Amino acid sequence: MSSLLLRQGRIIDPANHRDETGDLAIVDGRIAAAIPAGQPFEEIDCRRLVVAPGLIDLHVHFREPGQSAKETIASGARAAAAGGFTSVVCMPNTSPSVDNPSVVTWIKEKSEREACINVFTTGAITKGIAGEELAPIGSMARAGIVALTDDGHCVQNHELMRRALEYARMFQLPVLDHCQDYGLVGKGVMHEGYWSTLLGLPGWPSAGEEMIVMRNILLAGLCETPIHCQHLSSGDSVRLIRDARARGVPISGEVCPHHIALTDESLQGYDTNFKMNPPLRTRADIEALIQGIADGVVTILASDHAPHCAYEKEVEFDMAPFGIVGLETELGLFLDILVHKTKAIDLPRLIALLSVEPARLLRLDRGTLSAGAPADVTLIDPELEWTVDSAAFQSRSTNTPFQGWELKGRAVRTIVEGRTVWPPQPAP
Ligand SMILES: [Zn+2]
């Protein structure tokens, strides 16, 4: 395998508290101290670029098996690479769902053959993600899942959730949870408040999320087992997690770009590309989420990349599926909102939230530029101004509310184990 020398970039490696201008060598797919004398190498000029550990998104839906018209593992991986991500973690709500070791093996083998980046998978907490009976957690752990979640759904039976945590602890698997109380949320399709009343749409109250965040705090404390709350949308969820963490409870949370970029006001046009679960909320929620990111309560950022076909979204608002594609706008939105506009965090912290932090939670051997580590590297131009164009997406789906947005900052090259996977390279 050829060697690569990334010349004179700003090397930001939060795992090693490193932020300096210099050269980074890659030899045989791994980060190296230097290129051995006499070995040929390709040189890339990285002046004005940031050299970061390959970004990790721990919350994506790649729709295989079962719904390849929306996305495949190959197309989802290309979308991830185009967005600067070298590793992703798939949610288990495929068809069939990932609730047994044979589906885990199928996804792993297909990813190894067809994906240009590292694709990891979670396993379901319950059989068929139905919330009634535990899935075979031990055999899925042996097959190689990196976490447990019923994402898309939420285990309502607290005793069942407690047993899931006890198994997870035995197999050292993190538990991720989509926080939604079915009783409170009912048929809600948007944030319950002024705009849901005005638009005549069923409301999804913030308390529907906070109730399960609180349940998770109590169970994480009781079982002394970490729970990670997925895609937080409510400001009070952040406050609950802040208080619990201060008391030493092993609870954490993630935030997605749309929940800090948009409010429920944007639903006025009944455009289903603004329909997500949990829903877009208020300006006050956005401020609390950003505050949580700034003060270290929120430790992970993710996309919740959820592709859907155009015909599925082109229906009445109540009927449309929840979710948007996110991998190709994620880094741009986070850079633009968190680093440039609000200055809530600096660039090294942003990179940590997208690399070493998710790697730590899931115990992945990624997210660092240490010598000897797999050479997953993302080159970022933090000042590059660009316009979102869904027609140019690598994803099979284009369901985005950010079409035409002007953003500042994006990935310009994505390298996985020493090989450039984005932009596409001419055949040798
Ligand atoms: Zn979810």
Side-chain angles (χ1 to χ4, degrees), residues 162-201:
R162 177 186 181 175
R163 276 195 286 130
L165 288 172
E166 284 162 358
Y167 274 102
R169 184 190 168 115
M170 233 180 316
F171 295 101
Q172 297 198 319
L173 282 173
V175 176
L176 323 177
D177 198 24
H178 166 121
C179 302
Q180 178 176 351
D181 182 286
Y182 290 177
L184 275 171
V185 171
K187 294 190 184 328
V189 295
M190 70 173 288
H191 174 65
E192 181 177 300
Y194 174 83
W195 287 104
S196 67
T197 309
L198 203 76
L199 298 172
L201 290 169

Side-chain angles (χ1 to χ4, degrees), residues 59 151-152 178 231:
H59 194 145
D151 183 52
H178 166 121
H231 45 46

Side-chain angles (χ1 to χ4, degrees), residues 80-100:
F85 293 85
T86 58
S87 296
V88 297
V89 178
C90 293
M91 295 298 111
N93 60 337
T94 46
S95 179
S97 52
V98 189
D99 67 353
N100 67 74

Side-chain angles (χ1 to χ4, degrees), residues 32-329:
I35 303 229
Q39 191 165 324
F41 61 89
E42 183 192 345
E43 197 172 301
I44 299 173
D45 181 1
C46 293
R47 280 171 298 177
R48 294 184 308 279
L49 296 181
V50 167
V51 178
L55 305 181
I56 300 171
D57 188 330
L58 88 178
H59 194 145
V60 307
H61 298 267
F62 277 2
R63 308 303 190 196
E64 269 194 311
Q67 295 181 301
S68 52
K70 296 173 193 259
E71 194 79 284
T72 62
I73 290 171
S75 66
R78 279 197 304 277
F85 293 85
T86 58
S87 296
V88 297
V89 178
C90 293
M91 295 298 111
N93 60 337
T94 46
S95 179
S97 52
V98 189
D99 67 353
N100 67 74
S102 61
V103 184
V104 175
T105 305
W106 187 89
I107 290 175
K108 280 184 72 174
E109 289 179 356
K110 197 164 171 66
S111 302
E112 269 159 35
R113 280 198 312 273
E114 297 176 9
C116 62
I117 61 154
N118 311 300
V119 175
F120 299 96
T121 188
T122 53
I125 297 172
T126 63
K127 285 184 185 166
I129 317 190
E132 283 163 9
E133 205 184 330
L134 287 184
I137 292 171
S139 55
M140 289 195 296
R142 281 188 289 277
I145 58 168
V146 297
L148 288 168
T149 174
D150 265 6
D151 183 52
H153 293 82
C154 177
V155 177
Q156 302 292 293
N157 179 327
H158 309 320
E159 195 275 332
L160 189 64
M161 190 66 174
R162 177 186 181 175
R163 276 195 286 130
L165 288 172
E166 284 162 358
Y167 274 102
R169 184 190 168 115
M170 233 180 316
F171 295 101
Q172 297 198 319
L173 282 173
V175 176
L176 323 177
D177 198 24
H178 166 121
C179 302
Q180 178 176 351
D181 182 286
Y182 290 177
L184 275 171
V185 171
K187 294 190 184 328
V189 295
M190 70 173 288
H191 174 65
E192 181 177 300
Y194 174 83
W195 287 104
S196 67
T197 309
L198 203 76
L199 298 172
L201 290 169
W204 193 136
S206 302
E209 175 178 288
E210 294 144 15
M211 190 70 77
I212 298 294
V213 169
M214 194 64 230
R215 180 274 302 267
N216 289 344
I217 289 168
L218 296 171
L219 289 182
L222 177 67
C223 304
E224 294 177 353
T225 301
I227 303 182
H228 175 75
C229 299
Q230 300 176 284
H231 45 46
L232 298 173
S233 64
S234 142
D236 278 333
S237 295
V238 175
R239 288 178 202 107
L240 288 168
I241 291 174
R242 179 181 291 113
D243 293 348
R245 284 170 70 91
R247 290 185 282 114
V249 177
I251 190 96
S252 59
E254 81 197 18
V255 168
C256 302
H258 41 277
H259 289 128
I260 56 167
L262 297 163
T263 67
D264 58 343
E265 251 191 277
S266 49
L267 288 158
Q268 286 172 78
Y270 295 94
D271 181 342
T272 58
N273 283 328
F274 293 82
K275 181 178 177 183
M276 4 265 184
N277 185 13
L280 302 173
R281 300 202 188 271
T282 66
R283 181 57 50 191
D285 291 298
I286 290 182
E287 282 165 16
L289 293 172
I290 292 179
Q291 181 58 41
I293 294 167
D295 64 21
V297 170
V298 173
T299 49
I300 289 172
L301 301 174
S303 67
D304 191 8
H305 178 79
H308 291 292
C309 300
Y311 74 86
E312 296 173 291
K313 279 284 199 182
E314 285 161 4
V315 295
E316 281 169 68
F317 197 88
D318 287 23
M319 311 294 285
F322 292 100
I324 58 168
V325 288
L327 280 165
E328 293 170 80
T329 46

